Amino acid sequence: MSFTANIKEEVTRLEGNVLEYLAELSCIIRNNATIKEEIIITVENNAVARRIFKLIKSIYDVTPVITVRKRYNFNTNLSYILKIKQKKELILKDLSIVIDGVYQNIPKSYLINDEECLRAYLRGLFISTGSINDPKTSRYHLEFIVDNKEYALFLVELLNRFRLNSKMISREKNYMVYIKEAEKISDFLRIINAYQAVMYFEDIRIYRDHKNMTNRLNNCEQANIDKIFLTAAKQLKDIEKLKEYDLLDVLDEKLKEVVEYRQKYPESSLQELSEIMSNELGYSISKSGLNHRFRKIKEIIKRIEDNQEEKNVD
């Protein structure tokens, strides 16, 4: 079962009061129903079908007729079709879907005028049209596909009451409302009371964040090691040039010391080399002091090479 299906399975088991049920059911029917002589609700999730059946039965004492069909498009999953003919006008009016024969694209405020009803409406939104990537995948993504721009903007406003930073884009003939930030997706799951999903999502997110941090630290450490080797290699190359120009014997004592210890410890960083020399020579030599000595060696070599170039020009 997918992560999305697991969440729908979880939230369809939640209990609430009648007002919350009305808000949830309003959103589900708004997004999944076709209204003709009867209300026809088509869903692809057994738990959602059971939820709709339970809510209609408990609120209106109406028993929907359920038909199960096999789909043959990309798979052989089942579709669940619920048909409601009794009390059709009352149900549609109560749920702020059709009032006095006029279809309501946006529900009346009484359905979402307190926080718990708003949470229930958003729960119905996820049940009816929501989809979320499993956090084990490479990206975080929560989306809702709806059929109308005005309604999509309305949903963005509802979601952003909870500071979820939701956005909307056009998608073929429909509109997608989406959230991409991991923290905001986790917040949404809390809002609809999908607490098992929150724990799973956060466990995976923490693991991924820890793994990414470890990889970054390893990359930094490797880059630091590469830098140490590159610096040491350049210093050893300068020492070889000193030998080539027969200049080792004319160096002062401080430069001779640094040449001797660099050759003795070719893979050490400047910090490590300064500690070794300080311990063995009996006086403190800082990393910056060593760096200064190696710069002096480089300057000596540059003067020699510049003089040679001038002689060649002459």
Side-chain angles (χ1 to χ4, degrees), residues 28 30 50 65 71 99 115-116 128 147 152 161-162 175 189 196 207 221 225 229 231 258 271 298:
I28 294 172
R30 161 66 178 77
R50 292 197 308 269
V65 177
R71 293 183 290 121
I99 300 176
E115 185 170 312
E116 290 308 312
S128 60
D147 59 1
R161 289 185 193 180
F162 294 97
Y175 295 86
L189 295 176
Q196 291 180 16
Y207 169 78
E221 183 177 352
I225 291 171
F229 284 154
T231 300
V258 81
Q271 182 61 43
K298 188 174 289 293

Side-chain angles (χ1 to χ4, degrees), residues 302-314:
K302 187 176 186 307
R303 283 200 300 270
I304 296 296
E305 291 177 343
D306 288 347
N307 288 335
Q308 286 182 343
E309 287 181 6
E310 288 178 3
K311 288 179 181 179
N312 291 335
V313 172
D314 294 341

Side-chain angles (χ1 to χ4, degrees), residues 61-304:
D61 193 26
V62 170
T63 303
V65 177
I66 299 182
T67 305
V68 180
R69 291 181 181 172
K70 189 172 286 188
R71 293 183 290 121
Y72 293 98
N73 45 4
F74 296 105
N75 51 47
T76 57
N77 290 341
L78 302 175
S79 289
Y80 302 88
I81 303 168
L82 295 87
K83 296 182 179 180
I84 306 161
K85 193 166 187 178
Q86 291 178 281
K87 302 182 182 179
K88 169 191 162 187
E89 288 76 14
L90 171 64
I91 292 170
L92 293 176
K93 183 177 180 180
D94 263 6
L95 300 180
S96 188
I97 295 173
V98 177
I99 300 176
D100 296 329
V102 179
Y103 178 77
Q104 307 295 307
N105 193 40
I106 305 298
K108 298 296 183 182
S109 61
Y110 66 80
L111 278 172
I112 51 173
N113 61 4
D114 69 51
E115 185 170 312
E116 290 308 312
C117 287
L118 175 54
R119 289 170 182 266
Y121 192 87
L122 294 178
R123 185 159 53 246
L125 176 65
F126 185 81
I127 289 171
S128 60
T129 187
S131 176
I132 182 171
N133 283 5
D134 193 306
K136 289 180 180 177
T137 62
S138 59
R139 63 195 180 99
Y140 300 108
H141 183 79
L142 166 64
E143 70 177 35
F144 311 95
I145 303 298
V146 296
D147 59 1
N148 179 276
K149 184 177 181 180
E150 181 187 11
Y151 185 62
L153 291 171
F154 166 74
L155 295 177
V156 168
E157 189 273 327
L158 290 189
L159 291 163
N160 289 344
R161 289 185 193 180
F162 294 97
R163 301 181 181 179
L164 295 178
N165 196 27
S166 66
K167 295 181 173 62
M168 181 206 75
I169 59 170
S170 174
R171 192 178 191 184
E172 297 179 352
K173 296 181 180 180
N174 296 315
Y175 295 86
M176 180 173 73
V177 176
Y178 66 93
I179 302 170
K180 284 190 171 294
E181 299 168 59
E183 183 180 347
K184 303 300 184 182
I185 293 173
S186 184
D187 287 344
F188 175 81
L189 295 176
R190 289 189 185 90
I191 288 164
I192 65 171
N193 295 338
Y195 295 118
Q196 291 180 16
V198 171
M199 288 188 288
Y200 172 83
F201 188 89
E202 286 298 326
D203 283 346
I204 300 299
R205 186 164 76 98
I206 290 168
Y207 169 78
R208 286 184 60 186
D209 289 347
H210 177 72
K211 184 177 179 181
N212 290 338
M213 182 180 69
T214 300
N215 288 340
R216 287 193 295 271
L217 290 174
N218 288 339
N219 291 338
C220 290
E221 183 177 352
Q222 186 59 50
N224 192 46
I225 291 171
D226 292 344
K227 183 179 178 182
I228 289 170
F229 284 154
L230 180 61
T231 300
K234 289 180 179 178
Q235 292 165 352
L236 289 168
K237 185 176 180 180
D238 288 341
I239 291 171
E240 289 302 314
K241 287 185 178 181
L242 289 176
K243 292 179 181 178
E244 181 185 335
Y245 297 139
D246 198 23
L247 294 173
L248 289 178
D249 291 337
V250 300
L251 298 177
D252 62 35
E253 289 302 315
K254 289 184 178 182
L255 296 185
K256 286 180 180 179
E257 286 174 354
V258 81
V259 167
E260 176 188 351
Y261 275 88
R262 172 46 79 199
Q263 291 181 109
K264 190 175 178 181
Y265 301 98
E267 295 181 356
S268 296
S269 67
L270 279 180
Q271 182 61 43
E272 292 168 341
L273 198 60
S274 72
E275 292 172 359
I276 292 169
M277 291 178 67
S278 296
N279 289 333
E280 294 188 7
L281 296 175
Y283 66 91
S284 178
I285 304 175
S286 67
K287 176 182 172 181
S288 62
L290 284 183
N291 198 39
H292 176 71
R293 295 186 191 187
F294 280 116
R295 281 203 305 270
K296 287 187 69 175
I297 289 173
K298 188 174 289 293
E299 289 170 2
I300 291 170
I301 294 169
K302 187 176 186 307
R303 283 200 300 270
I304 296 296

